[in-house]
Amino acid sequence: EVSNTKFADFLNNTTVTVSGSNVSQVGGAGQRICYLSNGLTHNGSTFGIDAGKDHHPVVYQTWYGAALYCNYLSTANGRTPCYDETTFDCDFTADGFRLPTEAEWEYASRGGEHNPYYQYPWGGDSISYADANYDYTSNIGTTVDVGSYAANGYGLYDMAGNVWEWCNDWYGSYSSSAQTNPTGAASGSYRVIRGGSWGGSAFDLRCANRDFINPTDNYLTFGFRVLAVQ
């Protein structure tokens, strides 16, 4: 999951507008990037991080803010950005960073455990507070450092819990026919989120669980991770 440190670097190296606690894109579609709370700060000239939250996952970013971070990271690493910053269409042929499709996310979450399928990323059907950060009512009640729990079979951390993660896809029904690397619906009103969070139940953390939210929304329980095709 992308940390506050990494997201603050993006904001400090990108031209943005700040109005109160709202940070927005300059140019393109002028979309809102994030809301400054629970991790990120702004002193009038630069973005900073609340004490002790450097390595917590960034929260309160919109889907558009996550996509713009991907473009920033692509440019910084000499790759071709995937997202058109006006339409936010994704070019899947570009070699830049992007949000995972819903299918890619679930494949990665399962960590190679496909026969049989298990409910959770660690290859099991049971869950405890030693496995992931969830259930705020009786557990930690906030985000924790990225990578605080054991990785899954692919070496990926926090595929369950800590924060929900934005996926690239518009939310829609699954196709009834077999698919290879599906990229989701062509359009829609909501974007897919996956993985559950510190504020949710064990049910939310299942590899197969899916939810949706308006791409302009931002919450204390939302974060994201990125990928690039090698």
Side-chain angles (χ1 to χ4, degrees), residues 43 62 74 155 159 174 185 193 200 205:
N43 64 9
T62 65
S74 298
M159 295 302 298
Y174 286 149
I193 54 173
L205 274 63

Side-chain angles (χ1 to χ4, degrees), residues 28 38-40 44 86 118 155 158:
N38 287 82
L40 296 176
T86 299
Y118 292 103
D158 301 307

Side-chain angles (χ1 to χ4, degrees), residues 10-11 15-17 22-34 62-68 84-88 170 191 214-218:
F10 153 61
L11 294 176
T15 302
V16 297
T17 60
N22 291 296
V23 182
S24 300
Q25 172 191 19
V26 171
Q31 292 286 354
R32 190 156 63 100
I33 294 172
C34 64
T62 65
W63 182 92
Y64 297 104
L68 288 168
D84 182 301
E85 296 191 1
T86 299
T87 64
F88 282 89
W170 290 109
R191 295 285 184 174
N214 191 302
T216 61
D217 286 349
N218 49 265

Side-chain angles (χ1 to χ4, degrees), residues 25-112:
Q25 172 191 19
V26 171
Q31 292 286 354
R32 190 156 63 100
I33 294 172
C34 64
Y35 182 80
L36 300 174
S37 181
N38 287 82
L40 296 176
T41 62
H42 189 255
N43 64 9
S45 59
T46 60
F47 293 92
I49 304 167
D50 288 331
K53 293 200 171 183
D54 300 70
H55 304 297
H56 283 221
V58 64
V59 294
Y60 279 119
Q61 84 293 140
T62 65
W63 182 92
Y64 297 104
L68 288 168
Y69 174 88
C70 290
N71 276 5
Y72 159 77
L73 196 63
S74 298
T75 300
N77 285 274
R79 293 172 177 259
T80 303
C82 294
Y83 293 101
D84 182 301
E85 296 191 1
T86 299
T87 64
F88 282 89
D89 291 336
C90 181
D91 179 2
F92 288 97
T93 68
D95 68 350
F97 294 88
R98 59 174 170 80
L99 297 172
T101 66
E102 186 176 13
E104 288 168 337
W105 190 97
E106 184 169 333
Y107 186 93
S109 175
R110 293 190 181 279

